[in-house]
């Protein structure tokens, strides 16, 4: 087994033991089950909201907390003296977080379609595009938090402070239709709000508007560049 394969195996075990991993899967699922029992079968709002919650929790909480914690404990610095460079650990973590998100999404789709009988989208491509861009944007925000936070506890706190305002503005706590029009409009321009809006549009079988997709792509490029510039290995 190569050093990279060993690193992947170890990181997978650590991720599975992390309580935040279970939280990131169960909270969106709980949200779906509680509200899905009384939701019309042709609903196109609930499941995109649940998927957006999962992306937000993993991108804003789990990813930055893990990476900042590794830097705090000197793990990234020690890896720089081994054949497994810190960049490899970063790549493995991103892939594992994506796998966790895929598992959370697959579980929601299975429960929604197979248990609750909620109609799933007829066109997969628009949904996949919205999901890819939304995930990239939220993970970019998470990497920026990890770059700026001095330790894992600070990254956790920053992630929580960002998540709840963003979730509210995105319409994940209160439906957009019940929010003040000005706040709903502002929410459409946030990373999580643009993701929720693009995903909700794709869920109806239509192609999403270009605006949320362009916003998500711009957020990804700009925030990733800032995170790369600010990121410290020790």
């Amino acid at each position: 087994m190569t050093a990279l394969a060993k690193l992947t195996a170890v990181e997978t075990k650590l991720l599975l033991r992390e309580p935040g991993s279970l939280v990131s899967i169960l909270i969106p699922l709980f949200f779906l089950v509680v509200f899905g029992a009384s939701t019309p079968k042709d609903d196109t709002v609930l499941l995109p909201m649940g998927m957006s919650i999962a992306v937000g929790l993993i991108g804003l909480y789990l990813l930055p907390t893990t990476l900042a914690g590794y830097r705090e404990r000197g793990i990234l610095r020690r890896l720089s003296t081994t054949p497994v460079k810190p960049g490899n650990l970063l790549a493995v973590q991103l892939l594992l977080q994506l796998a966790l998100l895929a598992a959370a999404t697959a579980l929601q789709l299975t429960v929604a379609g197979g248990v609750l009988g909620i109609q799933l989208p007829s066109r997969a491509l628009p949904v996949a595009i919205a999901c890819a861009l939304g995930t990239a944007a939220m993970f970019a925000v998470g990497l920026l938090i990890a770059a700026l936070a001095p330790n894992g506890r600070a990254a956790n706190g920053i992630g929580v402070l960002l998540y709840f305002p963003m979730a509210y503005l995105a319409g994940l706590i209160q439906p957009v239709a019940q929010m003040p029009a000005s706040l709903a409009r502002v929410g459409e321009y946030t990373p999580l709000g643009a993701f929720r809006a693009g995903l909700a549009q794709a869920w109806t079988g239509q192609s999403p508007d270009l605006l949320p997709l362009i916003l998500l792509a711009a957020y990804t490029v700009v925030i990733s560049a800032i995170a790369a510039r600010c990121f410290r290995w020790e």
Side-chain angles (χ1 to χ4, degrees), residues 100-152:
L100 179 66
L101 178 59
T105 301
L107 184 58
Q108 289 187 67
L109 292 173
T110 301
V111 172
V115 178
L116 300 175
I118 297 176
Q119 182 178 343
L120 300 181
S122 57
R123 297 176 60 198
L125 183 58
V127 173
I129 292 173
C131 284
L133 289 174
T135 300
M138 295 307 300
F139 275 35
V141 177
L143 289 174
L144 181 59
I145 295 173
L148 299 177
N151 51 56

Side-chain angles (χ1 to χ4, degrees), residues 63-137:
L63 176 63
T65 300
T66 301
L67 293 178
Y70 281 177
R71 184 177 59 239
E72 178 187 7
R73 298 196 297 272
I75 293 175
L76 299 180
R77 176 177 51 79
R78 290 196 296 271
L79 279 177
S80 63
T81 63
T82 70
V84 182
K85 299 302 180 182
N88 291 335
L89 176 60
L90 178 60
V92 167
Q93 269 298 322
L94 286 173
L95 289 175
L96 289 178
Q97 302 287 350
L98 285 172
L100 179 66
L101 178 59
T105 301
L107 184 58
Q108 289 187 67
L109 292 173
T110 301
V111 172
V115 178
L116 300 175
I118 297 176
Q119 182 178 343
L120 300 181
S122 57
R123 297 176 60 198
L125 183 58
V127 173
I129 292 173
C131 284
L133 289 174
T135 300

